[in-house]
């Protein structure tokens, strides 16, 4: 299964594409989408939508995992990120890619084994789990890969049998 992980934003959107097969994940590509500062928000959102569609057409993901918003101090930044996140979700929905959402704590738990793990621990585990030579950079791309890994662990779990089990496949009549 090809999973597109997204760390939403407006100025910088992290993406990570992995191939997930039960307990083994392989890195396909990662990076960031950036939009130039100083242009109207509507132009930035259009660029994000176009770039998301290009990513989806390029990698044909089976599913997309997106980090849920987490507001701490700056609500203005949070609102801006929410705009970008909405455009990202819309692009995936338009192209028929199933969307799954995870909280930062769920991502940390899935990747580092502890929901309170710090950013460095998550980045080191992401590097290890994807057999990368170096820690993925920039941080937005590393976060997107961690989100993809989180979804891979959820989607390929034996507990998630309704997605995996095809009753017709085992019909012995």
């Amino acid at each position: 299964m090809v999973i597109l992980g997204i760390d939403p934003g407006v100025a910088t959107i992290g993406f990570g594409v992995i191939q997930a097969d039960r307990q083994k994940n392989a890195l396909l590509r990662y990076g960031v989408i950036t939009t130039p500062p100083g242009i109207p928000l509507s132009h930035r959102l259009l660029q994000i939508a176009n770039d998301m569609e290009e990513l989806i057409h390029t990698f044909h993901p089976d599913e997309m995992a997106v980090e849920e918003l987490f507001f701490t101090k700056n609500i203005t930044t949070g609102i801006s990120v929410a705009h970008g996140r909405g455009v990202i979700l819309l692009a995936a929905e338009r192209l028929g890619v199933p969307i799954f959402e995870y909280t930062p704590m769920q991502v940390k738990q899935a990747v580092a084994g502890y929901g309170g793990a710090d950013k460095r621990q998550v980045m080191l585990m992401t590097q290890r789990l994807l057999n990368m030579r170096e820690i993925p950079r920039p941080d937005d791309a590393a976060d997107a890969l961690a989100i993809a890994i989180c979804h891979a662990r959820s989607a390929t779990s034996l507990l998630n049998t309704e997605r995996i089990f095809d009753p017709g496949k085992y019909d012995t009549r």
Side-chain angles (χ1 to χ4, degrees):
M1 166 186 339
V2 175
I3 300 170
L4 172 59
I6 297 290
D7 182 33
V10 170
T12 305
I13 299 92
F15 72 89
V17 185
I18 66 170
Q19 175 73 47
D21 184 23
R22 295 270 179 199
Q23 294 298 324
K24 187 175 181 186
N25 299 315
L27 174 65
L28 298 179
R29 189 84 173 267
Y30 70 98
V32 293
I33 295 168
T34 58
T35 63
I39 65 171
L41 178 61
S42 59
H43 288 96
R44 293 175 104 173
L45 296 176
L46 179 60
Q47 181 184 336
I48 292 167
N50 291 339
D51 289 349
M52 283 302 303
E53 288 179 11
E54 184 178 333
L55 270 176
I56 291 168
H57 287 304
T58 300
F59 293 102
H60 307 285
D62 297 298
E63 297 175 348
M64 185 170 88
V66 181
E67 187 172 63
E68 288 185 1
L69 289 183
F70 179 72
F71 293 97
T72 52
K73 296 176 183 146
N74 191 343
I75 192 139
T76 304
T77 301
I79 291 170
S80 178
V81 171
H83 288 308
R85 190 173 181 280
V87 168
I88 290 164
L89 297 176
L90 177 63
E93 188 68 29
R94 273 204 171 133
L95 296 175
V97 179
I99 302 163
F100 297 84
E101 301 175 46
Y102 298 94
T103 66
M105 185 177 282
Q106 288 173 309
V107 174
K108 292 174 183 181
Q109 177 69 40
V111 175
Y114 171 57
D118 65 29
K119 188 176 255 329
R120 177 102 173 125
Q121 289 171 306
V122 174
M123 291 171 80
L124 285 168
M125 282 305 297
T126 298
Q127 175 190 9
R128 178 177 287 154
L129 292 169
L130 294 175
N131 296 313
M132 299 173 74
R133 291 180 190 192
E134 298 176 358
I135 291 174
R137 298 278 182 203
D139 290 357
D140 301 287
D143 291 347
L145 286 171
I147 294 160
I149 292 168
C150 173
H151 181 61
R153 291 187 160 194
S154 172
T156 60
S157 166
L158 292 177
L159 298 174
N160 203 348
T161 56
E162 66 218 31
R163 295 169 63 129
I164 300 168
F165 182 69
D166 176 2
K169 186 176 179 181
Y170 300 100
D171 189 1
T172 56
R173 285 186 263 169

